[in-house]
Amino acid sequence: MNWILMLVIAFISGAIPFSVWLTRLFLKKDVREAGDGNPGAINTFRSGSTLLGVTVLVLDICKAAIPVGIAYHQMGIRGLPMFLIAMAPVLGHAFSPFLKFRGGKGIGTVLGSLIGVSLWQISLPAVIGAAVGIAFFTTTGWAIVVAVIFGMSAVLIWFRDPLYIFVLLGVFLILCYTLRADLSKPPQLRPWVRKLYSRSKTSQ
């Protein structure tokens, strides 16, 4: 079956550890020694190269968006097979066989899968939600929760495609695992939000 081949391709594509390979090649560093120790675009930025960080982010998005987009838009795959293909690159990134099944958090790859399935319908609200979450919370995990809420709200209000709903729920469950360290702690508001809240209480 063609969809099984695409499932394998999507998983292998998602498993490619661009952050590890490119930081070794260009910076002579191991990206896993930076930040929280996870391979990914964020720690590539922390390794000291903005250009390389942007490059890794784009590649992490594309390695999911391309196979998922081909399966959905070119091959017309739908239903459960399409759901599995959309999950495959995210799982590949999180449990990369190239890294002894110790991959990254998969945030960029999740965005790529959403783009592959829906183009802008889920990905744009999710990016806006992530920006809002980052503005309000100090931890990445809680910012991503806001992104998922924005994406799901857009799907339920405007698009109402069952595949979109299941894909969002699927990637959210994977992110809950990869971001479990962040989500195990209570959300921490940024200083400007706390100051604004304190002022509002004082003025009452």
Side-chain angles (χ1 to χ4, degrees):
M1 294 184 184
N2 289 337
W3 74 267
I4 295 178
L5 176 61
M6 286 306 302
L7 180 68
V8 174
I9 291 172
F11 181 84
I12 294 173
S13 178
I16 299 173
F18 287 113
S19 62
V20 175
W21 291 352
L22 293 182
T23 51
R24 280 179 182 169
L25 179 64
F26 293 105
L27 302 180
K28 309 304 179 186
K29 296 180 179 178
D30 188 336
V31 69
R32 291 166 292 185
E33 295 176 355
D36 57 8
N38 281 297
I42 294 175
N43 284 337
T44 305
F45 283 106
R46 291 170 177 163
S47 295
S49 175
T50 301
L51 178 60
L52 198 59
V54 171
T55 302
V56 169
L57 178 60
V58 171
L59 289 172
D60 279 354
I61 293 171
C62 289
K63 71 182 184 179
I66 291 173
V68 173
I70 290 173
Y72 187 83
H73 297 284
Q74 299 298 318
M75 300 176 68
I77 299 172
R78 295 293 186 272
L80 179 60
M82 190 61 236
F83 169 78
L84 296 175
I85 292 169
M87 296 301 104
V90 183
L91 291 170
H93 183 91
F95 306 99
S96 174
F98 298 109
L99 301 175
K100 298 180 180 179
F101 299 97
R102 296 178 181 177
K105 294 178 179 177
I107 297 170
T109 313
V110 164
L111 178 58
S113 280
L114 297 181
I115 292 171
V117 169
S118 72
L119 299 179
W120 63 270
Q121 287 99 325
I122 313 175
S123 56
L124 181 58
V127 168
I128 294 172
V132 171
I134 290 169
F136 277 83
F137 298 111
T138 59
T139 52
T140 304
W142 289 104
I144 296 304
V145 169
V146 177
V148 173
I149 291 171
F150 270 58
M152 187 62 75
S153 298
V155 170
L156 294 176
I157 294 171
W158 290 299
F159 307 114
R160 300 179 184 178
D161 187 323
L163 179 63
Y164 290 2
I165 294 171
F166 284 112
V167 167
L168 259 178
L169 290 174
V171 296
F172 179 62
L173 290 175
I174 297 171
L175 288 172
C176 283
Y177 176 79
T178 61
L179 296 168
R180 62 192 181 280
D182 285 355
L183 298 177
S184 65
K185 305 170 186 175
Q188 297 292 321
L189 295 172
R190 292 198 179 273
W192 74 268
V193 181
R194 295 199 300 268
K195 287 180 182 178
L196 186 64
Y197 178 72
S198 298
R199 288 177 185 174
S200 66
K201 285 192 72 175
T202 303
S203 63
Q204 288 177 357

